[in-house]
Amino acid sequence: MLGPLPMLPPELSERRVALVHDWLVSTRGGESVLASLCRLFPGAPIHTLFHERSQMLGPVGEAINAHPIVVSPLQKLPGARRVYRALLPLMPYAIESFDFRDFDLVISSSHCVAKGIIAPPTALHVSYIHTPMRYAYEQMPEYFGDGRLPALGRLPIQVAMHHLRLWDQLTAARVDTFVANSHHVARRVMARYRREATVVHPPVDMDRFSVGAPHERTGRFLMVGAFAPYKRADVAVEAFNRLKLPLDIVGEGQDKKRLMAMAGPTIRFLGRLSDEEVTRVYRQARAFIFPGEEDFGITPLESMASGTPVIALGQGGALETVVDLVEGSRATGVLYPAASVEGLVGGVERFLAHEREVSPHAARAQAMRFARPRFEEQMVAVLKQAMAAKRASSVPSREERPDPAC
């Protein structure tokens, strides 16, 4: 269940609304945001590059699949949905192919190219930015650096990323209002696009999680997420090899084989689990491991909603969600400063030395600050304000109005 729904004011409920999302091939944090937009605007068509209906799971997937889905021409390419990342150079052209002439309000949910849609001048375009595309900017080495591509393969990628960055920055002017998922991302929006962004943190479905009883805890540490390079699961594997402590890793991704080859006997790979199974492992874990710099990070909040403390790299979105031990009795985990194996080892050791100071109920209370109803109420307020600003900008000033005597 996704909970109660806020009432829309007439200036929003009477609009013809279209939604845009980069691609729909899984249900992660970005799709959770889209599910709330679907709830606010039932029946609004979703425009996306790729749609894999069978992979849209749970209440989030059901909320999205219930809407009309408009896919790009890329969907028709043979095998495109399996290798969609390889089509990145074509994505700007595909996203620009959508037609929004029949809409008054277009809301894009963007971590790649969705913000680059071409809306008519009369329509309001609000873009919820999960991140400016990280692989085209500061995280290019992690995705395309040494060891990931042969030397001859890197030059074409660098050229493609150069053109993608130019397009990404130019299309920022197509957005009327930016909304960022964290203050960390809002600063990146300013750095990349020279635009202000209102911050509305993503939603957490609190009803799905509950604090487990002490006897349910297995003593094993937990990591949940896709095996993308920036998630730094390799740091977690190496750290727990050194610590010789038990770690369960939930997820799939392109780095899986490499990670499994690195892992020692205390580390288990649980693969992709159902929502119910993920809820169970959160409740059972001793602590949650979060070693990458995330734009926001939903999984630490899901862990805290289960009363499970978080050991996180003290950078990016974690600084806005995890309350460190040094901040007093309402601590929800440990933040460690260095993005390295040694940094994580130090963070785990600090947690073990002060484990009793972390309160499961304080963790739950902190997560409640990010519940879905709050997100939806804040988004309604932002959209209402953006619509009023659009109307005001479309009214000619006194100097611009024609002289009736002429």
Side-chain angles (χ1 to χ4, degrees):
M1 296 295 292
L2 298 182
L5 189 64
M7 291 289 294
L8 284 183
E11 55 264 46
L12 294 179
S13 62
E14 296 172 2
R15 299 296 172 180
R16 298 169 297 173
V17 180
L19 305 176
V20 188
H21 194 71
D22 290 295
W23 49 74
L24 296 171
V25 299
S26 63
T27 49
R28 295 162 61 184
E31 289 70 38
S32 182
V33 167
L34 180 62
S36 274
L37 297 176
C38 289
R39 280 160 45 80
L40 291 172
F41 301 101
I46 302 170
H47 297 70
T48 189
L49 297 175
F50 311 98
H51 179 219
E52 190 67 61
R53 182 175 293 273
S54 64
Q55 298 302 307
M56 305 304 293
L57 307 175
V60 165
E62 291 172 5
I64 293 170
N65 281 338
H67 281 239
I69 308 291
V70 183
V71 296
S72 77
L74 295 181
Q75 174 104 355
K76 299 177 183 178
L77 296 178
R81 284 172 288 180
R82 294 193 303 274
V83 295
Y84 61 92
R85 290 184 180 90
L87 300 174
L88 183 60
L90 300 178
M91 291 180 184
Y93 307 100
I95 207 72
E96 289 178 344
S97 71
F98 291 123
D99 185 354
F100 296 102
R101 285 176 293 180
D102 294 333
F103 298 99
D104 308 309
L105 171 60
V106 184
I107 308 171
S108 60
S109 164
S110 183
H111 59 81
C112 186
V113 297
K115 79 156 195 4
I117 58 104
I118 301 175
T122 54
L124 172 67
H125 177 196
V126 176
S127 188
Y128 188 95
I129 299 290
H130 304 280
T131 176
M133 54 182 87
R134 60 178 71 86
Y135 30 80
Y137 291 104
E138 67 279 350
Q139 291 187 357
M140 264 192 69
E142 294 180 32
Y143 280 86
F144 308 117
D146 294 344
R148 294 194 174 274
L149 288 174
L152 290 176
R154 288 198 291 275
L155 180 58
I157 289 292
Q158 289 169 351
V159 172
M161 291 301 104
H162 171 72
H163 288 288
L164 190 61
R165 282 193 297 274
L166 292 177
W167 178 88
D168 184 52
Q169 291 163 13
L170 287 171
T171 57
R174 298 175 183 174
V175 177
D176 293 297
T177 298
F178 277 102
V179 183
N181 70 354
S182 67
H183 295 283
H184 175 63
V185 167
R187 289 189 290 271
R188 294 183 62 211
V189 168
M190 174 58 72
R192 302 302 177 203
Y193 309 142
R194 298 294 186 264
R195 296 285 300 276
E196 297 281 353
T198 301
V199 175
V200 178
H201 292 116
V204 179
D205 290 315
M206 294 299 298
D207 292 344
R208 181 182 151 199
F209 305 99
S210 61
V211 177
H215 71 269
E216 293 182 69
R217 304 287 177 180
T218 63
R220 300 186 66 86
F221 293 81
L222 175 66
M223 182 176 177
V224 176
F227 298 154
Y230 75 97
K231 299 283 188 179
R232 301 314 310 268
D234 57 334
V235 169
V237 168
E238 184 56 37
F240 277 80
N241 282 343
R242 294 189 192 181
L243 290 163
K244 295 181 170 54
L245 289 171
L247 173 67
D248 288 339
I249 302 179
V250 175
E252 298 284 350
Q254 63 261 47
D255 280 355
K256 183 174 182 178
K257 289 183 179 179
R258 184 173 70 92
L259 294 170
M260 293 184 73
M262 293 171 52
T266 65
I267 298 173
R268 300 189 308 193
F269 290 84
L270 304 184
R272 186 176 181 180
L273 302 182
S274 68
D275 286 352
E276 293 76 14
E277 291 169 322
V278 171
T279 301
R280 173 179 53 80
V281 296
Y282 274 132
R283 287 168 56 93
Q284 294 176 341
R286 185 174 185 179
F288 184 78
I289 306 301
F290 196 64
E293 180 181 330
E294 289 268 13
D295 308 303
F296 178 69
I298 290 289
T299 52
L301 286 167
E302 292 178 343
S303 175
M304 289 188 285
S306 308
T308 299
V310 176
I311 303 170
L313 175 65
Q315 298 175 20
L319 293 172
E320 300 176 38
T321 57
V322 180
V323 182
D324 190 70
L325 277 167
V326 299
E327 296 185 22
S329 60
R330 294 188 62 78
T332 67
V334 168
L335 295 170
Y336 62 92
S340 64
V341 173
E342 292 75 16
L344 177 53
V345 168
V348 173
E349 290 175 341
R350 181 163 162 251
F351 167 77
L352 294 174
H354 300 277
E355 188 170 2
R356 292 185 178 180
E357 298 173 34
V358 182
S359 163
H361 296 286
R364 172 81 181 180
Q366 172 69 357
M368 283 294 294
R369 296 178 55 236
F370 302 88
R372 187 175 294 278
R374 181 173 181 178
F375 167 81
E376 292 171 346
E377 290 169 4
Q378 290 177 331
M379 279 302 299
V380 168
V382 168
L383 292 169
K384 182 178 177 181
Q385 183 177 15
M387 187 65 73
K390 180 75 172 180
R391 285 201 306 269
S393 68
S394 65
V395 176
S397 65
R398 183 180 298 275
E399 292 76 12
E400 294 172 324
R401 293 171 188 163
D403 187 343
C406 295

